[in-house]
Short mmCIF file of all heavy atoms in Angstrom, two decimals:
data_model
loop_
_atom_site.label_atom_id
_atom_site.label_comp_id
_atom_site.label_asym_id
_atom_site.label_seq_id
_atom_site.Cartn_x
_atom_site.Cartn_y
_atom_site.Cartn_z
N LYS A 9 1.04 11.25 -9.27
CA LYS A 9 0.24 10.46 -8.37
C LYS A 9 0.36 8.96 -8.77
O LYS A 9 0.29 8.60 -9.93
CB LYS A 9 -1.28 10.91 -8.58
CG LYS A 9 -2.16 10.19 -7.69
CD LYS A 9 -3.59 10.75 -7.86
CE LYS A 9 -4.49 9.92 -6.94
NZ LYS A 9 -5.88 10.31 -7.04
N PRO A 10 0.57 8.14 -7.72
CA PRO A 10 0.72 6.68 -8.02
C PRO A 10 -0.52 6.08 -8.50
O PRO A 10 -1.60 6.46 -8.20
CB PRO A 10 1.13 6.10 -6.65
CG PRO A 10 0.88 7.14 -5.62
CD PRO A 10 0.68 8.49 -6.32
N SER A 11 -0.38 5.07 -9.31
CA SER A 11 -1.55 4.35 -9.88
C SER A 11 -2.25 3.55 -8.75
O SER A 11 -1.69 3.27 -7.69
CB SER A 11 -1.11 3.39 -10.96
OG SER A 11 -0.26 2.34 -10.47
N SER A 12 -3.46 3.16 -9.10
CA SER A 12 -4.23 2.38 -8.08
C SER A 12 -3.54 0.99 -7.91
O SER A 12 -3.56 0.45 -6.77
CB SER A 12 -5.67 2.17 -8.59
OG SER A 12 -5.76 1.53 -9.77
N GLU A 13 -2.91 0.49 -8.91
CA GLU A 13 -2.26 -0.79 -8.77
C GLU A 13 -1.06 -0.70 -7.81
O GLU A 13 -0.86 -1.52 -6.90
CB GLU A 13 -1.73 -1.27 -10.11
CG GLU A 13 -0.94 -2.60 -10.02
CD GLU A 13 -0.34 -3.03 -11.35
OE1 GLU A 13 0.03 -2.13 -12.15
OE2 GLU A 13 -0.16 -4.30 -11.58
N PHE A 14 -0.34 0.38 -7.93
CA PHE A 14 0.82 0.62 -7.00
C PHE A 14 0.37 0.77 -5.57
O PHE A 14 0.90 0.19 -4.67
CB PHE A 14 1.59 1.87 -7.46
CG PHE A 14 2.92 2.10 -6.75
CD1 PHE A 14 4.00 1.42 -7.12
CD2 PHE A 14 2.97 3.01 -5.69
CE1 PHE A 14 5.26 1.59 -6.46
CE2 PHE A 14 4.17 3.19 -5.05
CZ PHE A 14 5.30 2.50 -5.43
N LEU A 15 -0.70 1.59 -5.43
CA LEU A 15 -1.29 1.76 -4.05
C LEU A 15 -1.78 0.44 -3.45
O LEU A 15 -1.67 0.19 -2.27
CB LEU A 15 -2.34 2.74 -4.13
CG LEU A 15 -1.91 4.23 -4.43
CD1 LEU A 15 -3.08 5.19 -4.62
CD2 LEU A 15 -0.96 4.72 -3.39
N GLN A 16 -2.39 -0.41 -4.37
CA GLN A 16 -2.85 -1.71 -3.82
C GLN A 16 -1.70 -2.61 -3.40
O GLN A 16 -1.84 -3.25 -2.40
CB GLN A 16 -3.72 -2.38 -4.92
CG GLN A 16 -4.38 -3.62 -4.44
CD GLN A 16 -5.28 -4.25 -5.52
OE1 GLN A 16 -5.14 -3.93 -6.72
NE2 GLN A 16 -6.16 -5.11 -5.08
N LEU A 17 -0.63 -2.56 -4.14
CA LEU A 17 0.55 -3.35 -3.74
C LEU A 17 1.09 -2.87 -2.43
O LEU A 17 1.45 -3.67 -1.52
CB LEU A 17 1.64 -3.25 -4.87
CG LEU A 17 1.37 -4.01 -6.14
CD1 LEU A 17 2.43 -3.62 -7.23
CD2 LEU A 17 1.38 -5.50 -5.95
N GLU A 18 1.12 -1.57 -2.24
CA GLU A 18 1.56 -1.02 -0.98
C GLU A 18 0.64 -1.39 0.19
O GLU A 18 1.12 -1.71 1.26
CB GLU A 18 1.66 0.49 -0.99
CG GLU A 18 2.86 0.99 -1.83
CD GLU A 18 3.04 2.47 -1.68
OE1 GLU A 18 2.01 3.26 -1.72
OE2 GLU A 18 4.17 2.93 -1.57
N SER A 19 -0.65 -1.43 -0.10
CA SER A 19 -1.65 -1.84 0.95
C SER A 19 -1.47 -3.26 1.38
O SER A 19 -1.48 -3.65 2.50
CB SER A 19 -3.00 -1.56 0.40
OG SER A 19 -3.97 -1.93 1.28
N TRP A 20 -1.25 -4.16 0.31
CA TRP A 20 -1.02 -5.58 0.59
C TRP A 20 0.27 -5.75 1.42
O TRP A 20 0.32 -6.52 2.38
CB TRP A 20 -0.91 -6.37 -0.71
CG TRP A 20 -2.21 -6.87 -1.14
CD1 TRP A 20 -2.84 -6.45 -2.30
CD2 TRP A 20 -3.05 -7.88 -0.58
NE1 TRP A 20 -4.08 -7.09 -2.38
CE2 TRP A 20 -4.16 -7.99 -1.36
CE3 TRP A 20 -2.91 -8.69 0.54
CZ2 TRP A 20 -5.24 -8.88 -1.05
CZ3 TRP A 20 -3.91 -9.58 0.87
CH2 TRP A 20 -5.09 -9.70 0.08
N LEU A 21 1.30 -5.01 1.07
CA LEU A 21 2.54 -5.07 1.77
C LEU A 21 2.41 -4.71 3.26
O LEU A 21 2.88 -5.39 4.14
CB LEU A 21 3.59 -4.13 1.15
CG LEU A 21 5.00 -4.14 1.79
CD1 LEU A 21 5.68 -5.49 1.72
CD2 LEU A 21 5.80 -3.11 1.08
N SER A 22 1.65 -3.66 3.48
CA SER A 22 1.35 -3.17 4.88
C SER A 22 0.62 -4.24 5.64
O SER A 22 0.99 -4.60 6.79
CB SER A 22 0.58 -1.91 4.83
OG SER A 22 0.28 -1.49 6.11
N LEU A 23 -0.40 -4.83 5.03
CA LEU A 23 -1.14 -5.92 5.72
C LEU A 23 -0.31 -7.15 6.02
O LEU A 23 -0.34 -7.66 7.12
CB LEU A 23 -2.28 -6.35 4.77
CG LEU A 23 -3.14 -7.50 5.29
CD1 LEU A 23 -3.89 -7.13 6.53
CD2 LEU A 23 -4.10 -7.98 4.21
N LEU A 24 0.58 -7.55 5.05
CA LEU A 24 1.46 -8.69 5.29
C LEU A 24 2.44 -8.42 6.40
O LEU A 24 2.69 -9.29 7.21
CB LEU A 24 2.22 -8.98 3.98
CG LEU A 24 1.34 -9.56 2.87
CD1 LEU A 24 2.08 -9.55 1.56
CD2 LEU A 24 0.90 -10.98 3.16
N ILE A 25 3.00 -7.26 6.45
CA ILE A 25 3.95 -6.86 7.55
C ILE A 25 3.26 -6.87 8.92
O ILE A 25 3.81 -7.40 9.86
CB ILE A 25 4.64 -5.55 7.23
CG1 ILE A 25 5.57 -5.69 6.03
CG2 ILE A 25 5.42 -5.08 8.45
CD1 ILE A 25 6.12 -4.37 5.52
N THR A 26 2.02 -6.37 8.98
CA THR A 26 1.25 -6.44 10.18
C THR A 26 0.95 -7.89 10.61
O THR A 26 1.07 -8.20 11.75
CB THR A 26 -0.08 -5.63 10.04
OG1 THR A 26 0.26 -4.28 9.73
CG2 THR A 26 -0.91 -5.76 11.32
N THR A 27 0.61 -8.69 9.64
CA THR A 27 0.36 -10.11 9.93
C THR A 27 1.62 -10.81 10.46
O THR A 27 1.56 -11.58 11.41
CB THR A 27 -0.17 -10.82 8.66
OG1 THR A 27 -1.38 -10.17 8.23
CG2 THR A 27 -0.48 -12.29 8.94
N TYR A 28 2.76 -10.50 9.81
CA TYR A 28 4.03 -11.06 10.20
C TYR A 28 4.35 -10.72 11.73
O TYR A 28 4.92 -11.53 12.43
CB TYR A 28 5.14 -10.59 9.29
CG TYR A 28 6.46 -11.29 9.59
CD1 TYR A 28 6.80 -12.45 9.00
CD2 TYR A 28 7.40 -10.73 10.53
CE1 TYR A 28 8.05 -13.17 9.24
CE2 TYR A 28 8.58 -11.37 10.82
CZ TYR A 28 8.89 -12.52 10.14
OH TYR A 28 10.09 -13.17 10.40
N LYS A 29 3.98 -9.54 12.08
CA LYS A 29 4.25 -9.10 13.47
C LYS A 29 3.60 -9.98 14.51
O LYS A 29 4.24 -10.28 15.54
CB LYS A 29 3.66 -7.65 13.63
CG LYS A 29 3.94 -7.06 14.97
CD LYS A 29 3.35 -5.64 15.05
CE LYS A 29 3.41 -5.09 16.39
NZ LYS A 29 2.87 -3.67 16.45
N TYR A 30 2.45 -10.55 14.19
CA TYR A 30 1.72 -11.43 15.09
C TYR A 30 1.97 -12.94 14.81
O TYR A 30 1.77 -13.74 15.73
CB TYR A 30 0.28 -11.06 15.08
CG TYR A 30 0.00 -9.73 15.56
CD1 TYR A 30 -0.28 -8.68 14.68
CD2 TYR A 30 0.14 -9.36 16.94
CE1 TYR A 30 -0.54 -7.38 15.08
CE2 TYR A 30 -0.10 -8.10 17.35
CZ TYR A 30 -0.40 -7.06 16.47
OH TYR A 30 -0.56 -5.82 16.87
N HIS A 31 2.31 -13.25 13.57
CA HIS A 31 2.49 -14.63 13.15
C HIS A 31 3.68 -14.77 12.27
O HIS A 31 3.51 -15.01 11.05
CB HIS A 31 1.23 -15.17 12.39
CG HIS A 31 -0.05 -14.96 13.22
ND1 HIS A 31 -0.33 -15.76 14.31
CD2 HIS A 31 -1.02 -14.06 13.10
CE1 HIS A 31 -1.49 -15.37 14.77
NE2 HIS A 31 -1.95 -14.32 14.10
N PRO A 32 4.83 -14.65 12.74
CA PRO A 32 6.07 -14.64 11.92
C PRO A 32 6.32 -16.07 11.37
O PRO A 32 6.36 -17.05 12.12
CB PRO A 32 7.19 -14.25 12.82
CG PRO A 32 6.72 -14.48 14.21
CD PRO A 32 5.18 -14.38 14.14
N THR A 33 6.47 -16.16 10.03
CA THR A 33 6.88 -17.39 9.40
C THR A 33 7.78 -17.14 8.23
O THR A 33 7.77 -15.99 7.67
CB THR A 33 5.63 -18.18 8.85
OG1 THR A 33 5.07 -17.44 7.78
CG2 THR A 33 4.60 -18.51 9.87
N CYS A 34 8.58 -18.08 7.89
CA CYS A 34 9.48 -17.95 6.81
C CYS A 34 8.70 -17.66 5.46
O CYS A 34 9.06 -16.90 4.60
CB CYS A 34 10.36 -19.18 6.69
SG CYS A 34 11.52 -19.12 5.32
N GLY A 35 7.64 -18.42 5.31
CA GLY A 35 6.79 -18.26 4.12
C GLY A 35 6.17 -16.89 3.93
O GLY A 35 6.10 -16.31 2.84
N LEU A 36 5.80 -16.32 5.04
CA LEU A 36 5.20 -14.97 5.02
C LEU A 36 6.31 -13.96 4.70
O LEU A 36 6.09 -13.01 3.97
CB LEU A 36 4.56 -14.63 6.33
CG LEU A 36 3.73 -13.33 6.46
CD1 LEU A 36 2.71 -13.30 5.26
CD2 LEU A 36 3.00 -13.30 7.71
N ALA A 37 7.51 -14.12 5.24
CA ALA A 37 8.64 -13.25 4.92
C ALA A 37 8.95 -13.30 3.43
O ALA A 37 9.26 -12.30 2.78
CB ALA A 37 9.86 -13.60 5.74
N LYS A 38 8.86 -14.52 2.85
CA LYS A 38 9.11 -14.67 1.39
C LYS A 38 8.02 -13.94 0.59
O LYS A 38 8.32 -13.29 -0.45
CB LYS A 38 9.16 -16.14 0.98
CG LYS A 38 10.32 -16.87 1.47
CD LYS A 38 10.32 -18.36 1.08
CE LYS A 38 11.54 -19.06 1.60
NZ LYS A 38 11.54 -20.48 1.30
N THR A 39 6.81 -13.98 1.07
CA THR A 39 5.70 -13.30 0.39
C THR A 39 5.89 -11.77 0.47
O THR A 39 5.67 -11.11 -0.49
CB THR A 39 4.32 -13.67 1.05
OG1 THR A 39 4.26 -15.14 0.90
CG2 THR A 39 3.18 -13.03 0.29
N ILE A 40 6.35 -11.29 1.63
CA ILE A 40 6.64 -9.90 1.74
C ILE A 40 7.71 -9.49 0.83
O ILE A 40 7.68 -8.45 0.10
CB ILE A 40 7.02 -9.53 3.21
CG1 ILE A 40 5.76 -9.74 4.17
CG2 ILE A 40 7.59 -8.13 3.34
CD1 ILE A 40 6.12 -9.69 5.59
N ASN A 41 8.72 -10.31 0.69
CA ASN A 41 9.83 -10.00 -0.21
C ASN A 41 9.39 -10.00 -1.71
O ASN A 41 9.81 -9.15 -2.53
CB ASN A 41 10.91 -11.04 -0.06
CG ASN A 41 12.30 -10.46 -0.14
OD1 ASN A 41 12.52 -9.28 0.04
ND2 ASN A 41 13.28 -11.32 -0.43
N TYR A 42 8.43 -10.90 -1.98
CA TYR A 42 7.82 -10.89 -3.37
C TYR A 42 7.10 -9.61 -3.66
O TYR A 42 7.27 -9.06 -4.75
CB TYR A 42 6.87 -12.11 -3.45
CG TYR A 42 5.98 -12.03 -4.64
CD1 TYR A 42 6.49 -12.40 -5.91
CD2 TYR A 42 4.64 -11.67 -4.54
CE1 TYR A 42 5.64 -12.34 -6.99
CE2 TYR A 42 3.83 -11.61 -5.64
CZ TYR A 42 4.34 -11.95 -6.89
OH TYR A 42 3.51 -11.89 -7.97
N TYR A 43 6.33 -9.13 -2.70
CA TYR A 43 5.59 -7.86 -2.93
C TYR A 43 6.50 -6.63 -2.99
O TYR A 43 6.33 -5.73 -3.78
CB TYR A 43 4.54 -7.66 -1.89
CG TYR A 43 3.20 -8.30 -2.24
CD1 TYR A 43 2.96 -9.65 -1.89
CD2 TYR A 43 2.27 -7.66 -3.03
CE1 TYR A 43 1.78 -10.30 -2.30
CE2 TYR A 43 1.09 -8.33 -3.34
CZ TYR A 43 0.89 -9.64 -3.06
OH TYR A 43 -0.26 -10.25 -3.42
N LEU A 44 7.61 -6.66 -2.25
CA LEU A 44 8.64 -5.65 -2.37
C LEU A 44 9.18 -5.64 -3.75
O LEU A 44 9.45 -4.62 -4.40
CB LEU A 44 9.73 -5.82 -1.31
CG LEU A 44 9.31 -5.35 0.09
CD1 LEU A 44 10.25 -5.91 1.11
CD2 LEU A 44 9.16 -3.82 0.17
N GLU A 45 9.48 -6.84 -4.27
CA GLU A 45 10.03 -6.96 -5.63
C GLU A 45 9.10 -6.43 -6.72
O GLU A 45 9.51 -5.67 -7.56
CB GLU A 45 10.40 -8.42 -5.93
CG GLU A 45 11.04 -8.67 -7.26
CD GLU A 45 12.41 -8.09 -7.34
OE1 GLU A 45 13.15 -8.06 -6.36
OE2 GLU A 45 12.85 -7.69 -8.47
N ARG A 46 7.85 -6.72 -6.51
CA ARG A 46 6.82 -6.18 -7.43
C ARG A 46 6.73 -4.70 -7.36
O ARG A 46 6.66 -4.00 -8.44
CB ARG A 46 5.43 -6.79 -7.11
CG ARG A 46 5.34 -8.19 -7.62
CD ARG A 46 3.91 -8.77 -7.50
NE ARG A 46 3.02 -7.97 -8.37
CZ ARG A 46 1.67 -8.15 -8.34
NH1 ARG A 46 1.12 -8.99 -7.47
NH2 ARG A 46 0.92 -7.41 -9.10
N LEU A 47 6.83 -4.10 -6.20
CA LEU A 47 6.83 -2.67 -6.06
C LEU A 47 8.06 -1.99 -6.70
O LEU A 47 8.02 -1.04 -7.37
CB LEU A 47 6.73 -2.22 -4.62
CG LEU A 47 5.32 -2.31 -3.94
CD1 LEU A 47 5.47 -2.28 -2.50
CD2 LEU A 47 4.48 -1.18 -4.50
N LEU A 48 9.21 -2.63 -6.49
CA LEU A 48 10.46 -2.12 -7.03
C LEU A 48 10.55 -2.22 -8.53
O LEU A 48 11.21 -1.47 -9.19
CB LEU A 48 11.65 -2.83 -6.40
CG LEU A 48 11.92 -2.44 -4.94
CD1 LEU A 48 12.85 -3.42 -4.29
CD2 LEU A 48 12.53 -1.01 -4.93
N ARG A 49 9.81 -3.19 -9.14
CA ARG A 49 9.73 -3.31 -10.56
C ARG A 49 8.63 -2.55 -11.22
O ARG A 49 8.58 -2.40 -12.47
CB ARG A 49 9.62 -4.78 -10.96
CG ARG A 49 10.82 -5.59 -10.62
CD ARG A 49 10.63 -7.04 -11.03
NE ARG A 49 11.74 -7.85 -10.68
CZ ARG A 49 12.66 -8.33 -11.53
NH1 ARG A 49 12.52 -8.04 -12.75
NH2 ARG A 49 13.66 -9.03 -11.06
N HIS A 50 7.76 -2.02 -10.46
CA HIS A 50 6.59 -1.22 -10.92
C HIS A 50 7.09 0.04 -11.56
O HIS A 50 7.97 0.70 -10.99
CB HIS A 50 5.55 -1.00 -9.80
CG HIS A 50 4.24 -0.61 -10.32
ND1 HIS A 50 3.94 0.69 -10.77
CD2 HIS A 50 3.09 -1.35 -10.48
CE1 HIS A 50 2.65 0.68 -11.13
NE2 HIS A 50 2.15 -0.49 -10.97
N GLU A 51 6.49 0.49 -12.64
CA GLU A 51 6.90 1.65 -13.31
C GLU A 51 6.74 2.92 -12.44
O GLU A 51 7.47 3.93 -12.64
CB GLU A 51 6.18 1.85 -14.62
CG GLU A 51 4.67 2.02 -14.55
CD GLU A 51 3.98 1.97 -15.87
OE1 GLU A 51 4.47 1.40 -16.81
OE2 GLU A 51 2.89 2.63 -15.93
N ASP A 52 5.80 2.93 -11.54
CA ASP A 52 5.55 4.12 -10.69
C ASP A 52 6.72 4.38 -9.73
O ASP A 52 6.86 5.51 -9.24
CB ASP A 52 4.26 3.94 -9.90
CG ASP A 52 2.99 4.17 -10.78
OD1 ASP A 52 3.15 4.31 -12.03
OD2 ASP A 52 1.88 3.96 -10.23
N ILE A 53 7.48 3.39 -9.43
CA ILE A 53 8.57 3.60 -8.46
C ILE A 53 9.62 4.57 -8.93
O ILE A 53 10.27 5.23 -8.12
CB ILE A 53 9.20 2.15 -8.10
CG1 ILE A 53 10.00 2.28 -6.76
CG2 ILE A 53 10.14 1.75 -9.19
CD1 ILE A 53 9.16 2.44 -5.59
N LEU A 54 9.70 4.78 -10.25
CA LEU A 54 10.66 5.75 -10.81
C LEU A 54 10.31 7.14 -10.34
O LEU A 54 11.23 8.01 -10.27
CB LEU A 54 10.64 5.60 -12.32
CG LEU A 54 11.07 4.28 -12.87
CD1 LEU A 54 10.94 4.24 -14.40
CD2 LEU A 54 12.49 3.88 -12.46
N CYS A 55 9.13 7.43 -10.00
CA CYS A 55 8.70 8.80 -9.56
C CYS A 55 8.98 8.99 -8.07
O CYS A 55 8.78 10.06 -7.62
CB CYS A 55 7.24 9.01 -9.91
SG CYS A 55 6.82 8.83 -11.66
N TYR A 56 9.32 7.98 -7.39
CA TYR A 56 9.43 8.01 -5.97
C TYR A 56 10.78 7.47 -5.51
O TYR A 56 10.90 6.37 -4.95
CB TYR A 56 8.31 7.21 -5.27
CG TYR A 56 6.99 7.71 -5.63
CD1 TYR A 56 6.19 7.05 -6.63
CD2 TYR A 56 6.42 8.84 -5.09
CE1 TYR A 56 4.94 7.58 -6.99
CE2 TYR A 56 5.17 9.34 -5.41
CZ TYR A 56 4.44 8.71 -6.42
OH TYR A 56 3.28 9.14 -6.77
N GLY A 57 11.80 8.26 -5.72
CA GLY A 57 13.09 7.86 -5.40
C GLY A 57 13.33 7.51 -3.93
O GLY A 57 14.01 6.55 -3.45
N GLU A 58 12.73 8.30 -3.04
CA GLU A 58 12.78 8.05 -1.61
C GLU A 58 12.19 6.72 -1.23
O GLU A 58 12.71 5.91 -0.42
CB GLU A 58 12.13 9.17 -0.81
CG GLU A 58 12.36 9.10 0.63
CD GLU A 58 11.76 10.29 1.37
OE1 GLU A 58 12.17 11.43 1.00
OE2 GLU A 58 10.94 10.11 2.22
N LYS A 59 11.00 6.44 -1.82
CA LYS A 59 10.36 5.11 -1.49
C LYS A 59 11.16 3.97 -2.04
O LYS A 59 11.21 2.95 -1.43
CB LYS A 59 8.94 5.10 -2.16
CG LYS A 59 7.94 5.77 -1.37
CD LYS A 59 6.54 5.42 -1.82
CE LYS A 59 5.51 6.10 -0.98
NZ LYS A 59 4.17 5.49 -1.14
N ARG A 60 11.82 4.19 -3.26
CA ARG A 60 12.65 3.10 -3.84
C ARG A 60 13.74 2.79 -2.85
O ARG A 60 13.99 1.59 -2.62
CB ARG A 60 13.20 3.57 -5.10
CG ARG A 60 13.97 2.50 -5.87
CD ARG A 60 14.39 2.95 -7.29
NE ARG A 60 15.04 1.80 -7.94
CZ ARG A 60 16.28 1.46 -7.78
NH1 ARG A 60 17.10 2.15 -6.95
NH2 ARG A 60 16.78 0.44 -8.42
N CYS A 61 14.41 3.81 -2.28
CA CYS A 61 15.50 3.52 -1.37
C CYS A 61 14.94 2.80 -0.07
O CYS A 61 15.57 1.83 0.43
CB CYS A 61 16.11 4.81 -0.90
SG CYS A 61 17.14 5.58 -2.23
N GLU A 62 13.80 3.19 0.34
CA GLU A 62 13.19 2.60 1.55
C GLU A 62 12.83 1.12 1.26
O GLU A 62 13.12 0.22 2.08
CB GLU A 62 11.90 3.35 1.88
CG GLU A 62 11.18 2.82 3.09
CD GLU A 62 9.93 3.60 3.36
OE1 GLU A 62 9.86 4.88 3.11
OE2 GLU A 62 8.95 2.94 3.86
N TYR A 63 12.26 0.84 0.13
CA TYR A 63 11.92 -0.51 -0.29
C TYR A 63 13.16 -1.37 -0.53
O TYR A 63 13.09 -2.59 -0.19
CB TYR A 63 10.99 -0.56 -1.52
CG TYR A 63 9.55 -0.01 -1.26
CD1 TYR A 63 8.88 0.63 -2.19
CD2 TYR A 63 9.01 -0.18 0.07
CE1 TYR A 63 7.55 1.08 -1.95
CE2 TYR A 63 7.75 0.30 0.30
CZ TYR A 63 7.02 0.88 -0.66
OH TYR A 63 5.77 1.32 -0.40
N LEU A 64 14.20 -0.82 -1.01
CA LEU A 64 15.40 -1.60 -1.17
C LEU A 64 15.97 -2.04 0.17
O LEU A 64 16.42 -3.17 0.37
CB LEU A 64 16.49 -0.78 -1.96
CG LEU A 64 16.26 -0.69 -3.45
CD1 LEU A 64 17.19 0.35 -4.07
CD2 LEU A 64 16.38 -2.04 -4.13
N GLY A 65 15.96 -1.16 1.12
CA GLY A 65 16.43 -1.47 2.45
C GLY A 65 15.56 -2.53 3.13
O GLY A 65 15.96 -3.48 3.75
N MET A 66 14.19 -2.40 2.93
CA MET A 66 13.30 -3.36 3.43
C MET A 66 13.49 -4.74 2.74
O MET A 66 13.35 -5.75 3.42
CB MET A 66 11.83 -2.93 3.16
CG MET A 66 11.38 -1.75 3.95
SD MET A 66 9.74 -1.13 3.52
CE MET A 66 8.74 -2.49 4.01
N GLN A 67 13.79 -4.75 1.52
CA GLN A 67 14.00 -5.95 0.80
C GLN A 67 15.21 -6.75 1.35
O GLN A 67 15.16 -7.94 1.54
CB GLN A 67 14.22 -5.72 -0.67
CG GLN A 67 14.21 -6.95 -1.56
CD GLN A 67 14.38 -6.65 -3.03
OE1 GLN A 67 15.14 -5.75 -3.38
NE2 GLN A 67 13.65 -7.26 -3.84
N LYS A 68 16.26 -6.05 1.72
CA LYS A 68 17.46 -6.72 2.35
C LYS A 68 16.98 -7.37 3.69
O LYS A 68 17.37 -8.49 3.95
CB LYS A 68 18.52 -5.71 2.59
CG LYS A 68 19.24 -5.27 1.36
CD LYS A 68 20.31 -4.26 1.64
CE LYS A 68 20.93 -3.76 0.39
NZ LYS A 68 21.97 -2.73 0.67
N PHE A 69 16.24 -6.60 4.47
CA PHE A 69 15.80 -7.15 5.77
C PHE A 69 14.92 -8.37 5.62
O PHE A 69 15.12 -9.39 6.23
CB PHE A 69 15.04 -6.07 6.62
CG PHE A 69 14.42 -6.61 7.82
CD1 PHE A 69 15.19 -6.79 8.97
CD2 PHE A 69 13.05 -6.90 7.82
CE1 PHE A 69 14.59 -7.29 10.11
CE2 PHE A 69 12.44 -7.48 8.98
CZ PHE A 69 13.24 -7.62 10.13
N TRP A 70 13.91 -8.24 4.70
CA TRP A 70 12.97 -9.36 4.55
C TRP A 70 13.58 -10.55 3.84
O TRP A 70 13.19 -11.72 4.05
CB TRP A 70 11.68 -8.88 3.84
CG TRP A 70 10.89 -8.00 4.77
CD1 TRP A 70 10.72 -6.67 4.68
CD2 TRP A 70 10.14 -8.43 5.89
NE1 TRP A 70 10.03 -6.25 5.77
CE2 TRP A 70 9.63 -7.31 6.51
CE3 TRP A 70 9.95 -9.66 6.50
CZ2 TRP A 70 8.85 -7.38 7.68
CZ3 TRP A 70 9.16 -9.78 7.62
CH2 TRP A 70 8.68 -8.62 8.23
N GLY A 71 14.59 -10.32 3.00
CA GLY A 71 15.34 -11.43 2.44
C GLY A 71 16.07 -12.20 3.48
O GLY A 71 16.12 -13.41 3.45
N TRP A 72 16.58 -11.44 4.44
CA TRP A 72 17.26 -12.14 5.57
C TRP A 72 16.24 -12.91 6.38
O TRP A 72 16.52 -14.04 6.88
CB TRP A 72 18.02 -11.07 6.42
CG TRP A 72 18.66 -11.60 7.62
CD1 TRP A 72 19.87 -12.26 7.62
CD2 TRP A 72 18.18 -11.56 9.00
NE1 TRP A 72 20.19 -12.64 8.93
CE2 TRP A 72 19.20 -12.27 9.77
CE3 TRP A 72 17.12 -11.07 9.60
CZ2 TRP A 72 19.07 -12.39 11.14
CZ3 TRP A 72 16.97 -11.25 10.97
CH2 TRP A 72 17.94 -11.85 11.70
N GLN A 73 15.09 -12.29 6.71
CA GLN A 73 14.04 -13.00 7.45
C GLN A 73 13.59 -14.27 6.73
O GLN A 73 13.23 -15.26 7.35
CB GLN A 73 12.86 -12.09 7.69
CG GLN A 73 13.11 -10.91 8.63
CD GLN A 73 13.43 -11.36 10.01
OE1 GLN A 73 12.80 -12.22 10.55
NE2 GLN A 73 14.38 -10.71 10.63
N ALA A 74 13.53 -14.21 5.43
CA ALA A 74 13.03 -15.35 4.63
C ALA A 74 13.98 -16.52 4.68
O ALA A 74 13.60 -17.64 4.52
CB ALA A 74 12.79 -14.92 3.21
N ARG A 75 15.28 -16.28 4.93
CA ARG A 75 16.28 -17.33 5.00
C ARG A 75 16.44 -17.91 6.36
O ARG A 75 17.09 -18.90 6.57
CB ARG A 75 17.64 -16.74 4.52
CG ARG A 75 17.74 -16.53 3.05
CD ARG A 75 19.08 -16.15 2.61
NE ARG A 75 19.56 -14.84 3.15
CZ ARG A 75 19.35 -13.67 2.64
NH1 ARG A 75 18.63 -13.59 1.55
NH2 ARG A 75 19.84 -12.60 3.19
N ASN A 76 15.78 -17.27 7.37
CA ASN A 76 15.93 -17.80 8.79
C ASN A 76 14.69 -18.43 9.25
O ASN A 76 13.63 -18.38 8.83
CB ASN A 76 16.28 -16.61 9.72
CG ASN A 76 17.70 -16.09 9.48
OD1 ASN A 76 18.58 -16.90 9.17
ND2 ASN A 76 17.85 -14.80 9.50
#
């Protein structure tokens, strides 16, 4: 079971992505990328190989968004 910290990071990520949908900015994309990095470095990610792959793909997309 994921820790409450991990779940909170996922919750923030979801909120940020929803916010970006309505107010896209480069700064917000960078923040989303930051939270993805935190999730990927979190120790709980080792138990969730499928989520890790999903977050790595998302990180590529949001890294691209942050540069544009």
Side-chain angles (χ1 to χ4, degrees):
K9 182 178 177 182
S11 67
S12 61
E13 179 185 28
F14 188 82
L15 293 173
Q16 186 175 19
L17 288 170
E18 286 188 319
S19 180
W20 273 110
L21 180 63
S22 179
L23 176 68
L24 291 167
I25 291 171
T26 299
T27 302
Y28 185 90
K29 181 179 176 181
Y30 298 103
H31 305 285
T33 66
C34 181
L36 190 51
K38 288 179 183 179
T39 303
I40 291 168
N41 220 20
Y42 167 77
Y43 274 88
L44 284 166
E45 184 67 31
R46 285 189 62 191
L47 281 164
L48 287 165
R49 291 179 184 256
H50 198 281
E51 62 187 28
D52 288 359
I53 199 70
L54 298 175
C55 300
Y56 301 99
E58 187 175 303
K59 279 192 176 197
R60 184 175 185 278
C61 290
E62 181 181 328
Y63 288 150
L64 285 169
M66 289 173 68
Q67 190 178 40
K68 288 179 184 178
F69 172 80
W70 289 106
W72 179 78
Q73 292 295 318
R75 288 187 294 275
N76 292 321

